Amino acid sequence: MNFTLSNSTALIGLACLLTSSAVLAADRPVTMADIENLERQLAELKARFMTQNSDLKVAAPVAKSTPQSDPVKPLTEPSTTLKAYATIRPTFGVINQDDESNWDVRDALSHAGIKVTHEFMPGWQAELHGEWGIDLANEGNFGKSRRAYTALGTPYGRFGIGKQRPAQYLFIAEYVDIFNHASSPFAYDPESIFFVDNLVTYRYELGPMTFIAAGQFNGDKGDNQTDLFNTGLSYDNAGLHAAITYQQNDVYDNEQHIGENQLWSGALAYQFNSRFYAAMAYQDKDYQRVSALDSRQGHTFDLSLAYQLAKHYKLKTGYFDFDDGYGSHDPLNQSFDGYNVTLEWLPIPPLRVHLEYLNKSFDNQVDMDSISIGFRYDYKQEWQFD
């Protein structure tokens, strides 16, 4: 049993009172005056006890409320993020091929877009994304779509419908696509996918692992079911990216089904430190045709390296090899390999000025090389609304 200060004081006073009473009883007979004196002392002790106990009762709630628990946090308020962006990438250079030199202004995939995300519940958000190309090589025409989709993010994964990036690009090509050129990655580019329309995607992230599954459903063309299926798994942690993907798509010639393509791909990239980056991507492509004589096996390989020379200068270089599966003397053969070297000057973060040398050696066509200089300026603005 715990005693308070008032209880202890009352007990001490009562003990003194009883002691004095015992002494009086031992020395002489108790008189009426003694009884009145004892009653007065008891009344004083009772009043003192009641006063002290009342003070403690008032103070007690303050003492009990000191170790308060954390207040319950309210539900996240709905919020909307609007992002507008654009990147302009003109190039100017000379292409040497078949003993001819052509000077030309070209475009390295300039584009502009808008993206809106709206979080309406914790872990739930709606996403709208539209992106359109700007072709500086052809009168600056605007309007060719690159992305146009809506997605729903949930605690169980993200679902998207519309024209989007597939797993094949996001996991494989993106990490070697570091150059200022419309055909980069150079080996991946000729027969691989970048944007896919009529696409349904699912994406789920768990720690460093990301899983993507995508299917193209274009009912009025090609197959009545799925025209393309693409799935992949990636691991990203501490500057390391490793991924594997599978792609299958039907192939048609004037609405006639002639076979399908199957690809198994892998990518590996690593940011060694703030100055050095390396990445490689490989695709094994099986051209399965209805006629066995037309079936063939090909591959793509891209290697990209980037090194920070100084605060505002970066050196990039790459090696690439594309094999379409045709024999070296087959007139349909378009296989090639080559390399490129790029020097970049980055005076401010949004601006990139580059000088590039590119060389391609074909198995059954005329070789080419080019020298180009180009600018790239990126703009982005974000707004947050509650």
Side-chain angles (χ1 to χ4, degrees), residues 55-363:
D55 292 340
L56 288 172
K57 285 182 178 179
V58 173
V62 177
K64 290 180 180 179
S65 64
T66 300
Q68 294 180 1
S69 58
D70 293 335
V72 177
K73 295 181 179 180
L75 292 176
T76 303
E77 294 294 332
S79 63
T80 301
T81 301
L82 169 63
K83 180 173 72 173
Y85 61 92
T87 175
I88 304 300
R89 308 174 181 181
T91 66
F92 173 67
V94 58
I95 298 176
N96 302 306
Q97 190 171 25
D98 196 17
D99 297 327
E100 290 187 4
S101 296
N102 294 309
W103 292 84
D104 198 4
V105 171
R106 296 177 179 269
D107 178 70
L109 300 178
S110 301
H111 58 270
I114 183 171
K115 184 175 182 180
V116 181
T117 57
H118 179 77
E119 184 178 8
F120 55 92
M121 287 193 303
W124 293 78
Q125 69 176 22
E127 179 181 331
L128 176 153
H129 196 175
E131 184 177 292
W132 299 269
I134 304 172
D135 190 358
L136 299 182
N138 292 288
E139 302 179 358
N141 294 332
F142 177 84
K144 184 179 179 180
S145 68
R146 289 161 54 92
R147 281 185 256 225
Y149 68 88
T150 298
L152 177 66
T154 78
Y156 314 102
R158 175 185 174 278
F159 303 85
I161 301 177
K163 191 171 186 178
Q164 306 165 70
R165 291 280 200 191
Q168 199 70 15
Y169 180 83
L170 294 174
F171 286 170
I172 304 300
E174 184 172 36
Y175 292 84
V176 289
D177 190 10
I178 65 174
F179 302 104
N180 305 284
H181 204 285
S183 300
S184 172
F186 297 100
Y188 177 93
D189 176 75
E191 296 185 9
S192 302
I193 52 179
F194 288 85
F195 299 96
V196 180
D197 57 9
N198 297 277
L199 196 66
V200 178
T201 63
Y202 171 74
R203 179 181 185 127
Y204 185 76
E205 298 181 13
L206 182 62
M209 308 296 293
T210 303
F211 169 77
I212 293 180
Q216 184 186 40
F217 299 87
N218 194 357
D220 60 344
K221 296 181 181 179
D223 192 353
N224 291 330
Q225 305 300 321
T226 307
D227 298 304
L228 177 145
F229 175 72
N230 186 205
T231 187
L233 182 67
S234 75
Y235 173 85
D236 297 271
N237 186 40
L240 173 67
H241 169 79
I244 185 171
T245 64
Y246 170 75
Q247 177 191 325
Q248 183 274 331
N249 64 281
D250 294 314
V251 181
Y252 295 86
D253 183 11
N254 294 325
E255 299 300 322
Q256 180 181 358
H257 183 252
I258 62 174
E260 65 180 28
N261 295 331
Q262 290 188 352
L263 288 88
W264 283 98
S265 310
L268 188 66
Y270 189 65
Q271 184 73 50
F272 288 89
N273 50 49
S274 60
R275 301 176 69 91
F276 182 57
Y277 171 80
M280 60 180 179
Y282 180 82
Q283 297 182 122
D284 181 77
K285 189 166 185 176
D286 188 7
Y287 302 82
Q288 298 181 358
R289 298 296 179 260
V290 174
S291 172
L293 296 176
D294 295 329
S295 298
R296 62 192 195 276
Q297 193 82 21
H299 70 262
T300 75
F301 176 76
D302 285 281
L303 173 67
S304 299
L305 305 172
Y307 185 75
Q308 191 82 31
L309 297 174
K311 182 178 180 180
H312 299 294
Y313 294 92
K314 182 177 290 187
L315 179 66
K316 295 179 178 179
T317 185
Y319 170 78
F320 45 87
D321 178 63
F322 169 67
D323 183 358
D324 59 10
Y326 289 106
S328 59
H329 299 292
D330 193 309
L332 297 176
N333 181 292
Q334 298 184 24
S335 301
F336 61 84
D337 63 0
Y339 64 92
N340 67 314
V341 180
T342 300
L343 177 64
E344 289 183 346
W345 175 47
L346 304 97
I348 56 175
L351 177 63
R352 182 187 305 177
V353 181
H354 75 272
L355 175 65
E356 179 191 62
Y357 174 75
L358 171 65
N359 177 279
K360 285 185 178 181
S361 298
F362 292 87
D363 289 353

Side-chain angles (χ1 to χ4, degrees), residues 8-25:
S8 302
T9 304
L11 288 176
I12 293 172
L14 184 58
C16 294
L17 183 62
L18 292 175
T19 302
S20 61
S21 300
V23 172
L24 288 173

